[in-house]
Amino acid sequence: MTHTSVSSTARVLGAGLRALLVLTLVCGVLYPLAVTGIAQTLFRDRANGSEITDSGGQVVGSSLIGQRYDLPLKKGEETPAPDLRWFQPRPSNGLGTNSVNTRYELILSGATNRSGDNEELIGWVKAAKAAVVKDNSTATHPVRPADVPPDAVTSSGSGLDPHISPAYAELQVHRVAERNGLDVRKVEHLVETHTTDRLLGFLGEPRVNVLELNTALRDLTRT
């Protein structure tokens, strides 16, 4: 190889190395730092996973992902019973279990993919409605089947919906108050203050984030 060829090769390698270093610095260091900095400055809550914290500053979950509130699984049970001290989310096999804490696991997500006239789905809905009526009826406040809203007996498309309708939250008020030894009006006020209205007044539906509501409920029971 001639001296000219060696010099040419060295120049090409040098140019390639400089390009690699520059691209690494720009794309691997400066750009990620800039994006992270902008996100933390302008969208801190969203950038950090839309975390929900309790009154003590402890992170209890994300406002974007639902959780279940169940009792420990007993021997012989296939599915745990709901912990009726807490507001319950929509039915779903995709939600992990736990009562207002960070230690929950997502088992799966997705809808049933069954049609509205599917016999098995109809059976599930009827059983769910009967359970909602039974679980939420108290001695002074019986629940009628006609009082049960659709989201109390059907899962969302993802199975991970963190919200319920105000109607379903209100249906659970008397049971939650009784189980926690609280005044009904205080629990009603919790629901009212944690109800989010339609976006811009006309987009979407009013909704209640179950984790936020149960976090506030736990704080209330500790006072």
Side-chain angles (χ1 to χ4, degrees):
M1 181 179 294
T2 65
H3 177 71
T4 301
S5 298
V6 172
S7 299
S8 177
T9 300
R11 285 196 298 273
V12 171
L13 291 176
L17 180 59
R18 288 193 296 274
L20 175 62
L21 292 175
V22 170
L23 290 173
T24 299
L25 178 63
V26 173
C27 299
V29 179
L30 297 180
Y31 178 73
L33 286 176
V35 171
T36 300
I38 292 171
Q40 289 296 322
T41 302
L42 301 179
F43 312 102
R44 183 177 181 81
D45 177 61
R46 296 180 184 180
N48 292 332
S50 300
E51 295 172 339
I52 294 176
T53 57
D54 60 18
S55 58
Q58 174 69 39
V59 175
V60 295
S62 170
S63 63
L64 304 177
I65 301 175
Q67 295 188 31
R68 289 205 57 79
Y69 302 86
D70 296 323
L71 295 170
L73 188 65
K74 296 180 180 179
K75 186 176 181 180
E77 286 184 339
E78 293 186 3
T79 57
D83 188 340
L84 298 179
R85 295 174 300 165
W86 306 102
F87 286 92
Q88 293 296 312
R90 298 183 65 171
S92 175
N93 292 326
L95 300 183
T97 61
N98 277 333
S99 36
V100 199
N101 60 49
T102 57
R103 297 181 179 180
Y104 67 100
E105 65 178 78
L106 298 177
I107 303 169
L108 53 87
S109 66
T112 63
N113 273 343
R114 287 171 170 78
S115 62
D117 60 353
N118 179 271
E119 292 185 4
E120 188 174 26
L121 178 61
I122 292 172
W124 289 346
V125 169
K126 288 182 177 179
K129 178 175 283 191
V132 168
V133 169
K134 177 177 178 294
D135 290 343
N136 290 282
S137 292
T138 67
T140 59
H141 186 79
V143 174
R144 302 171 303 167
D147 298 330
V148 180
D151 60 305
V153 296
T154 56
S155 62
S156 64
S158 67
L160 304 175
D161 191 351
H163 299 101
I164 56 175
S165 66
Y168 187 26
E170 291 163 5
L171 181 145
Q172 302 182 61
V173 163
H174 286 265
R175 181 255 298 165
V176 170
E178 181 182 86
R179 297 273 176 161
N180 289 282
L182 297 171
D183 180 72
V184 170
R185 182 56 196 152
K186 285 187 176 181
V187 182
E188 287 177 337
H189 182 65
L190 276 185
V191 172
E192 291 170 5
T193 56
H194 288 84
T195 297
T196 303
D197 204 356
R198 293 178 173 89
L199 182 63
L200 301 178
F202 66 94
L203 294 176
E205 294 293 332
R207 59 202 180 278
V208 180
N209 188 289
V210 182
L211 177 56
E212 290 180 355
L213 181 59
N214 278 334
T215 301
L217 173 63
R218 186 175 68 170
D219 291 339
L220 180 62
T221 60
R222 288 177 171 179
T223 57

